[in-house]
Amino acid sequence: MKGRLLLGAMAASLVMTVTTLDAQSPASPNPANGRRLFEKDGCYQCHGYAGQGGRDGARLAATAMSAQSFVRYVRGPFGAMPAFTAKVLPDDELADIYAYLKSLPAAAAAKDIPALSRVRDK
Amino acid sequence: MPKTPGRTVGRRTFLQSAAATAALVVKPPIVDAQAASPRPSAASPSAAQIAAETGPPPARSRPFTVERPGADFMVDVIKSLGFEYVAANPGSSFRGLHESIINYGGNTRPELLTCCHEESSVAMAHGYAKIDGTPMLVMAHGTVGLQHASMAIYNAWADRVPVYILLGNILDVAYRRSVVEWTHSVQDAVAMVRDYTKWDDAPVSLTHFAASAVRAYKTAMTPAMGPVVIVADAVLQEEPIPEAERHALRVPKLTIAAPPAGDSSAIAEAARLLVAAENPVIVAGRCARTPEGLRHLVALAETLQAPVNDRPFRFRMNFPTRHPLYGGGNIAEADVVLGLEVPDFWNATHAQTPVNRTGMEARATTKAGAKLVTISSSDLLTKSNYQDFGAYAEVDLAISGDAEATLPALVEACKRLITSDRARVFHERGARLADASRRSAEEALNQAAWGWDASPITTARLSVDLWNEIKREDWSLVSDVTFLSFWPTRLWDFDRHYQYIGGQGAYGIGYGAPAAVGAALANKKHGRLTVNIQCDGDLNYAPGVLWTAAHHHIPLLTIMHNNRAYHQERMYVQDMAARAERGIDRANIGTAITDPNIDYAMLAKAYGVYSAGPIENPKDLAPAIRKAIEVVKRGEPALVDVVTQPR
């Protein structure tokens, strides 16, 4: 029980850390460092260097996930992804990664990309 | 393999002269020699000894010639089976057959393909058979050659593909001349691959060879299909056919067995379940072997207006990818799931905790009460040791038989049961599925847009740019799509049986490049544009097959999916590191193929293959593909190295 309370407190702390990103507080996370960590810590392996997603991981670029949901999932995923604990991915680094993912631009619509718009042509 | 030029001595000739020869080699007993010379002598050899060891060999009484070696008859048998090609890395234990194929047989049907590795020979045959529908012949040493070939044989076994292998061997010790021939001889040559071959024999006469060779072909081609091995003993190959036997030898008639179809009452029960179902889902594995198989499955799906799903792995070209019934349906909502030649049906209907681990959890993905039906020839060909048979599937109706051969009867049985009420339900279901299919296609296009201009190039961009260049050709994709996030099957219009052939079978990496070359050879006579999206790790096992493609003018477009890693394993190591809570930034150690980066364009060029790349800017991709296609259309192989995202 004690352990659970501790974990709960840790999770709440994380959520607070990351939610501050949205408010662009002075302690704003660093997207450039987030990009570096995204590659160094192997996030790209499943999600792609551009966060585009693929067979092994969801799209993360310009994610619609809230900071809280993002943290919650990284710490306790329910899919194929392994859990990344704070021991290997500290809260501040995770915050930087989230900031990087939010900074990525949305994709153009398929109809606006000539090669994609021709895919279904005969 | 080492080749030692040697005498051509027949066994009978050898025996006839044995007595005279023995007299020459008899030496005094060693004890007598020691008595005469109490301590080792360092005396110089005599003039006679020097002459014997350095001079020319004594003149033979007559030249050793063979009027008609047994291998000629073996070639008669081989020709009767209709092989177009024989793939081989040359080896002394089948030199007799080699010579007979190129001279007596005229090097045509079969034509000899020079391979740089036995694994390549078998994988080429594997890819060829999946396009052509018939086996390619492979020759290999009974020992070291078969050892090289073994992984590729296991792939073909697990993929249920016919491959026909002739092994050279020298069983008779009196026929072996050197340490090479002793190390290349074996008592039971096929023992090491018997667990994953369908049938084998080691004939002791030419009559025996003929009967077993024909039987082997028939066995390989009867579903469930698989690799077969016949040992061609060197004595039988090289010795003359005895005069008395020449007129008695004959090639047995080959009759390919009709494939086994499922039991009629079981088919009727399956039809009853399917027609009554509100949400049936068809899961297709290695269902369609031929164009007819594809048509039969379309007929079943359209009759029932049921979705056809071939995930998570795509094993064959079972169903047109732009058909409104393709890829939809939800197993979780299905009340009947029909599995057609699904290699691991349990896995198709269950979910597990990712990565094997203690306490792994598994749960059914089907809802309670859902009826599970399988039609498969797997039960007809199961062995014990290798576990490719997968988890035991608890189903409600299991029909043993070839799915493709069973489908026509199932379609007719379904049609007989469809009332006007069921037809209306089916029509409504089909409309819903068509609508879902349209939405899914739109979604795929929009997903492909993410990272469009990224470098490394996304596998979606690679697939789109390639597709736009080939879609008006008569194309054939001969590589797996699993490592490409399935983009080709999500975006391209696959509707012919030869447009997709699945993957390795047993996930033995090193299959891709040689299988593509073999498949391209099968496509060549049809003038098809063969396309291989080639993983970098796979190519590095035996890249010499690029030379084989160049040497034999095999038109093949290879597009490198060069993610510079053994990426699947990198993800596994990352998983382990995360679980162990340490070093998540170190999974590249032992999995990265960098430092230095491999220049595949230069590699291809060294083998005589046109090449371009490495391409890192996505804008350069389409023009490079276009140029490579021009080369392929001239009948040559071409390779474009593309630096890609991991998946």
Side-chain angles (χ1 to χ4, degrees), chain B residues 246-305:
Chain B
R246 288 187 190 177
H247 301 294
L249 286 174
R250 57 179 291 274
V251 180
K253 175 184 172 186
L254 170 68
T255 303
I256 300 293
D263 172 74
S264 58
S265 60
I267 292 170
E269 175 62 7
R272 190 187 66 75
L273 289 168
L274 287 164
V275 171
E278 294 307 309
N279 289 306
V281 172
I282 300 169
V283 182
R286 298 188 178 96
C287 177
R289 289 183 284 99
T290 68
E292 286 71 32
L294 195 154
R295 281 195 284 274
H296 295 327
L297 186 52
V298 170
L300 179 67
E302 291 182 348
T303 298
L304 296 166
Q305 289 297 302

Side-chain angles (χ1 to χ4, degrees), chain A residues 34-116:
Chain A
R35 176 178 183 165
R36 187 184 66 79
L37 293 167
F38 187 80
E39 296 183 5
K40 173 177 160 286
D41 289 339
C43 309
Y44 77 92
Q45 293 175 15
C46 301
H47 301 283
Y49 288 101
Q52 77 274 16
R55 187 197 79 171
D56 301 298
R59 174 175 61 79
L60 295 178
T63 179
M65 288 176 86
S66 68
Q68 294 97 320
S69 300
F70 180 72
V71 172
R72 196 179 306 124
Y73 196 84
V74 171
R75 300 296 188 219
F78 50 81
M81 179 172 156
F84 288 84
T85 65
K87 187 176 174 184
V88 290
L89 195 51
D91 299 346
D92 56 337
E93 293 188 0
L94 195 53
D96 285 353
I97 291 172
Y98 181 77
Y100 165 61
L101 296 173
K102 290 298 281 186
S103 75
L104 290 169
K111 64 181 173 50
D112 297 328
I113 298 175
L116 269 173

Side-chain angles (χ1 to χ4, degrees), chain A residues 40-41 44-45 48-49 52 54-56 59 79-80 82 85 88 107-108 110 113 115 118-122, chain B residues 322 354 441 446 449-450 452 467-468 471-472 482 485 491 493 567-568 570-571 574-575 581-582 585 645 647:
Chain A
K40 173 177 160 286
D41 289 339
Y44 77 92
Q45 293 175 15
Y49 288 101
Q52 77 274 16
R55 187 197 79 171
D56 301 298
R59 174 175 61 79
T85 65
V88 290
I113 298 175
R118 288 190 283 120
V119 163
R120 294 186 73 82
D121 294 350
K122 291 286 181 184
Chain B
R322 289 192 180 171
N446 284 320
W450 288 88
W452 185 252
W467 169 242
N468 283 332
K471 65 186 177 187
R472 293 188 178 87
T482 306
S485 293
L491 298 171
D493 186 7
H567 192 74
Q568 185 66 49
R570 173 183 277 176
M571 290 191 292
Q574 182 77 352
D575 195 339
E581 296 186 281
R582 61 191 179 200
D585 58 345
Q645 298 269 336
R647 287 282 183 268

Side-chain angles (χ1 to χ4, degrees), chain B residues 17 32 118 148 165 200 261 299 310 359 405 449 514 577 601 609 634:
Chain B
S17 59
D32 290 346
E118 288 83 353
H148 270 308
I165 303 160
D200 69 88
D310 59 2
V609 172
R634 292 200 295 268

Side-chain angles (χ1 to χ4, degrees), chain B residues 1-8 60 92 95 177-178 180-181:
Chain B
M1 297 306 115
K3 313 297 178 305
T4 36
R7 59 188 181 178
T8 22
R60 290 168 172 163
S92 59
R95 62 195 168 206
R177 298 175 306 170
S178 67
V180 177
E181 293 192 345

Side-chain angles (χ1 to χ4, degrees), chain B residues 39 77 84 106 171 194 258 264 277 284 344 371 466 503 516 558 592 603:
Chain B
R39 55 190 183 127
V77 176
E84 276 190 305
L171 192 59
R194 191 164 287 133
S264 58
D344 187 354
K371 298 293 184 189
L466 177 56
T558 295
L603 177 82

Side-chain angles (χ1 to χ4, degrees), chain B residues 129-418:
Chain B
K130 285 199 278 188
I131 289 290
D132 197 70
T134 65
M136 178 190 283
L137 183 63
V138 171
M139 291 192 298
H141 266 313
T143 53
V144 290
L146 188 58
Q147 287 161 356
H148 270 308
S150 59
M151 187 210 74
I153 295 171
Y154 184 51
N155 269 336
W157 159 263
D159 207 15
R160 297 295 188 259
V161 168
V163 171
Y164 195 110
I165 303 160
L166 279 178
L167 293 181
N169 188 38
I170 306 176
L171 192 59
D172 188 343
V173 296
Y175 215 79
R176 301 174 196 165
R177 298 175 306 170
S178 67
V179 67
V180 177
E181 293 192 345
W182 276 89
T183 52
H184 287 182
S185 295
V186 54
Q187 188 184 66
D188 181 3
V190 191
M192 85 173 114
V193 297
R194 191 164 287 133
D195 278 328
Y196 42 92
T197 48
K198 195 175 175 189
W199 191 70
D200 69 88
D201 199 12
V204 297
S205 70
L206 290 173
T207 298
H208 187 173
F209 176 87
S212 292
V214 175
R215 183 194 300 273
Y217 195 99
K218 180 183 178 184
T219 303
M221 289 294 288
T222 304
M225 298 181 184
V228 293
V229 188
I230 295 295
V231 179
D233 190 78
V235 179
L236 288 180
Q237 293 177 52
E238 296 177 17
E239 284 297 287
I241 302 168
E243 190 69 41
E245 290 181 25
R246 288 187 190 177
H247 301 294
L249 286 174
R250 57 179 291 274
V251 180
K253 175 184 172 186
L254 170 68
T255 303
I256 300 293
D263 172 74
S264 58
S265 60
I267 292 170
E269 175 62 7
R272 190 187 66 75
L273 289 168
L274 287 164
V275 171
E278 294 307 309
N279 289 306
V281 172
I282 300 169
V283 182
R286 298 188 178 96
C287 177
R289 289 183 284 99
T290 68
E292 286 71 32
L294 195 154
R295 281 195 284 274
H296 295 327
L297 186 52
V298 170
L300 179 67
E302 291 182 348
T303 298
L304 296 166
Q305 289 297 302
V308 175
N309 201 321
D310 59 2
R311 289 187 291 259
F313 300 107
R314 293 182 165 89
F315 295 99
R316 291 290 186 276
M317 179 57 215
N318 292 305
F319 205 76
T321 55
R322 289 192 180 171
H323 193 289
L325 295 171
Y326 175 71
N330 186 344
I331 281 184
E333 295 169 1
D335 48 0
V336 174
V337 180
L338 172 65
L340 300 172
E341 301 286 358
V342 180
D344 187 354
F345 187 68
W346 185 93
N347 224 298
T349 52
H350 287 76
Q352 294 165 276
T353 313
V355 183
N356 298 348
R357 59 186 72 182
T358 304
M360 180 172 66
E361 296 169 2
R363 63 177 176 81
T365 50
T366 49
K367 67 182 182 184
K371 298 293 184 189
L372 306 184
V373 181
T374 55
I375 304 176
S376 175
S377 57
S378 292
D379 290 341
L380 305 175
L381 185 60
T382 303
K383 294 194 181 184
S384 305
N385 195 13
Y386 287 77
Q387 305 285 300
D388 62 292
F389 42 75
Y392 177 75
E394 295 176 72
V395 302
D396 298 281
L397 179 60
I399 302 176
S400 280
D402 178 50
E404 179 173 314
T406 306
L407 280 176
L410 181 60
V411 172
E412 291 309 309
C414 288
K415 284 180 178 173
R416 284 195 293 272
L417 295 174
I418 296 173

